[in-house]
Short mmCIF file of all heavy atoms in Angstrom, two decimals:
data_model
loop_
_atom_site.label_atom_id
_atom_site.label_comp_id
_atom_site.label_asym_id
_atom_site.label_seq_id
_atom_site.Cartn_x
_atom_site.Cartn_y
_atom_site.Cartn_z
N VAL Z 148 0.89 4.43 7.03
CA VAL Z 148 1.14 3.28 6.15
C VAL Z 148 1.13 1.94 7.10
O VAL Z 148 1.23 2.07 8.30
CB VAL Z 148 2.41 3.46 5.44
CG1 VAL Z 148 2.39 4.62 4.65
CG2 VAL Z 148 3.56 3.38 6.23
N TRP Z 150 2.07 -2.39 7.51
CA TRP Z 150 3.36 -3.22 7.88
C TRP Z 150 3.74 -4.11 6.70
O TRP Z 150 4.80 -4.69 6.73
CB TRP Z 150 3.29 -3.97 9.07
CG TRP Z 150 1.93 -4.77 9.22
CD1 TRP Z 150 0.78 -4.43 9.87
CD2 TRP Z 150 1.56 -6.00 8.43
NE1 TRP Z 150 -0.30 -5.33 9.75
CE2 TRP Z 150 0.18 -6.33 8.83
CE3 TRP Z 150 2.26 -6.76 7.63
CZ2 TRP Z 150 -0.40 -7.41 8.34
CZ3 TRP Z 150 1.50 -7.94 7.18
CH2 TRP Z 150 0.20 -8.20 7.53
N LYS Z 174 3.52 8.42 9.72
CA LYS Z 174 3.49 7.40 10.64
C LYS Z 174 3.53 5.93 10.11
O LYS Z 174 2.78 5.68 9.40
CB LYS Z 174 2.10 7.46 11.54
CG LYS Z 174 2.05 6.77 12.69
CD LYS Z 174 0.67 6.41 13.32
CE LYS Z 174 0.19 5.09 12.98
NZ LYS Z 174 0.89 3.95 13.33
N GLU Z 177 3.09 0.44 13.86
CA GLU Z 177 3.85 0.29 15.05
C GLU Z 177 4.68 -1.11 14.97
O GLU Z 177 5.61 -1.26 15.88
CB GLU Z 177 2.95 0.37 16.24
CG GLU Z 177 1.61 -0.30 16.12
CD GLU Z 177 0.51 0.41 15.55
OE1 GLU Z 177 0.69 1.02 14.35
OE2 GLU Z 177 -0.60 0.61 16.06
N ILE Z 226 -2.58 4.25 3.69
CA ILE Z 226 -2.65 2.89 3.12
C ILE Z 226 -2.81 1.91 4.43
O ILE Z 226 -2.06 1.90 5.38
CB ILE Z 226 -1.18 2.53 2.47
CG1 ILE Z 226 -0.88 3.57 1.47
CG2 ILE Z 226 -1.36 1.12 1.68
CD1 ILE Z 226 0.53 3.36 0.84
N GLY Z 227 -3.96 1.10 4.27
CA GLY Z 227 -4.16 0.36 5.39
C GLY Z 227 -5.49 -0.58 5.11
O GLY Z 227 -6.00 -0.56 4.04
N GLY Z 228 -6.10 -0.97 6.34
CA GLY Z 228 -7.32 -1.70 6.27
C GLY Z 228 -8.50 -0.97 5.95
O GLY Z 228 -8.58 0.20 6.24
N THR Z 231 -9.93 0.81 9.04
CA THR Z 231 -9.19 1.98 9.57
C THR Z 231 -9.58 3.11 8.51
O THR Z 231 -9.76 4.23 8.94
CB THR Z 231 -7.66 1.73 9.40
OG1 THR Z 231 -7.36 0.56 10.18
CG2 THR Z 231 -6.89 2.84 9.89
N GLN Z 234 -12.70 4.61 9.80
CA GLN Z 234 -12.52 5.51 10.82
C GLN Z 234 -11.90 6.85 10.53
O GLN Z 234 -12.16 7.80 11.02
CB GLN Z 234 -11.53 4.82 12.02
CG GLN Z 234 -12.30 3.69 12.71
CD GLN Z 234 -11.41 2.82 13.51
OE1 GLN Z 234 -10.31 3.20 13.77
NE2 GLN Z 234 -11.68 1.55 13.54
N LEU Z 250 -6.96 0.79 0.45
CA LEU Z 250 -7.50 -0.05 1.36
C LEU Z 250 -7.27 -1.56 1.01
O LEU Z 250 -6.53 -2.01 0.17
CB LEU Z 250 -8.83 0.24 1.94
CG LEU Z 250 -9.17 1.69 2.20
CD1 LEU Z 250 -10.44 2.04 2.46
CD2 LEU Z 250 -8.17 2.16 3.46
N GLY Z 251 -8.07 -2.51 1.68
CA GLY Z 251 -7.99 -3.91 1.49
C GLY Z 251 -8.61 -4.45 0.19
O GLY Z 251 -9.03 -3.61 -0.62
N CYS Z 283 -2.08 -6.46 -0.51
CA CYS Z 283 -3.38 -5.97 -0.59
C CYS Z 283 -4.09 -6.34 -1.79
O CYS Z 283 -5.28 -6.75 -1.89
CB CYS Z 283 -3.49 -4.52 -0.56
SG CYS Z 283 -2.31 -3.79 -1.73
N GLU Z 384 -11.23 -10.33 3.68
CA GLU Z 384 -9.80 -10.31 3.50
C GLU Z 384 -9.19 -11.04 4.56
O GLU Z 384 -9.28 -10.49 5.71
CB GLU Z 384 -9.34 -8.77 3.30
CG GLU Z 384 -7.85 -8.82 3.05
CD GLU Z 384 -7.33 -7.29 3.10
OE1 GLU Z 384 -7.60 -6.61 4.00
OE2 GLU Z 384 -6.58 -6.98 2.21
N TRP Z 450 -2.54 3.37 -8.76
CA TRP Z 450 -2.70 2.33 -7.91
C TRP Z 450 -3.76 2.69 -6.90
O TRP Z 450 -3.82 3.64 -6.27
CB TRP Z 450 -1.31 2.18 -6.98
CG TRP Z 450 -1.50 0.84 -6.11
CD1 TRP Z 450 -1.96 0.87 -4.86
CD2 TRP Z 450 -1.12 -0.40 -6.40
NE1 TRP Z 450 -1.96 -0.27 -4.28
CE2 TRP Z 450 -1.37 -1.24 -5.30
CE3 TRP Z 450 -0.65 -1.13 -7.62
CZ2 TRP Z 450 -1.18 -2.59 -5.31
CZ3 TRP Z 450 -0.44 -2.45 -7.55
CH2 TRP Z 450 -0.64 -3.14 -6.43
P1 LIG M 501 -4.21 -1.11 9.58
O1 LIG M 501 -5.28 -0.43 8.95
O2 LIG M 501 -4.45 -1.93 10.82
O3 LIG M 501 -3.04 -0.08 9.84
C1 LIG M 501 -2.64 0.81 8.92
C2 LIG M 501 -1.96 2.01 9.60
O4 LIG M 501 -3.12 2.75 10.03
C3 LIG M 501 -1.10 1.75 10.76
O5 LIG M 501 -0.06 2.62 10.76
C4 LIG M 501 -1.94 1.90 11.99
O6 LIG M 501 -1.21 2.22 13.09
C5 LIG M 501 -2.82 3.08 11.50
N1 LIG M 501 -4.11 3.17 12.14
C6 LIG M 501 -4.88 2.10 12.74
N2 LIG M 501 -6.01 2.63 13.37
C7 LIG M 501 -5.97 3.96 13.04
C8 LIG M 501 -7.00 4.97 13.30
N3 LIG M 501 -8.08 4.81 13.94
N4 LIG M 501 -6.62 6.25 12.79
C9 LIG M 501 -5.55 6.54 12.28
N5 LIG M 501 -4.63 5.56 11.88
C10 LIG M 501 -4.81 4.26 12.22
O7 LIG M 501 -3.64 -2.08 8.42
P2 LIG M 501 -2.44 -3.12 8.49
O8 LIG M 501 -2.99 -4.23 9.29
O9 LIG M 501 -1.29 -2.36 9.05
O10 LIG M 501 -2.11 -3.50 7.11
C11 LIG M 501 -2.99 -4.35 6.31
C12 LIG M 501 -4.06 -3.72 5.68
O11 LIG M 501 -3.64 -2.79 4.75
C13 LIG M 501 -4.81 -4.77 4.74
O12 LIG M 501 -6.12 -4.49 4.81
C14 LIG M 501 -4.25 -4.45 3.31
O13 LIG M 501 -5.07 -4.79 2.25
C15 LIG M 501 -4.03 -2.89 3.41
N6 LIG M 501 -3.08 -2.48 2.44
C16 LIG M 501 -3.68 -1.84 1.31
C17 LIG M 501 -2.79 -1.36 0.30
C18 LIG M 501 -3.22 -0.73 -0.98
O14 LIG M 501 -2.52 -0.04 -1.70
N7 LIG M 501 -4.55 -0.63 -1.23
C19 LIG M 501 -1.37 -1.67 0.33
C20 LIG M 501 -0.86 -2.38 1.53
C21 LIG M 501 -1.76 -2.81 2.50
#
Side-chain angles (χ1 to χ4, degrees):
V148 303
W150 47 259
K174 192 194 105 52
E177 44 277 51
I226 308 180
T231 306
Q234 285 166 30
L250 308 176
C283 54
E384 184 186 46
W450 184 270

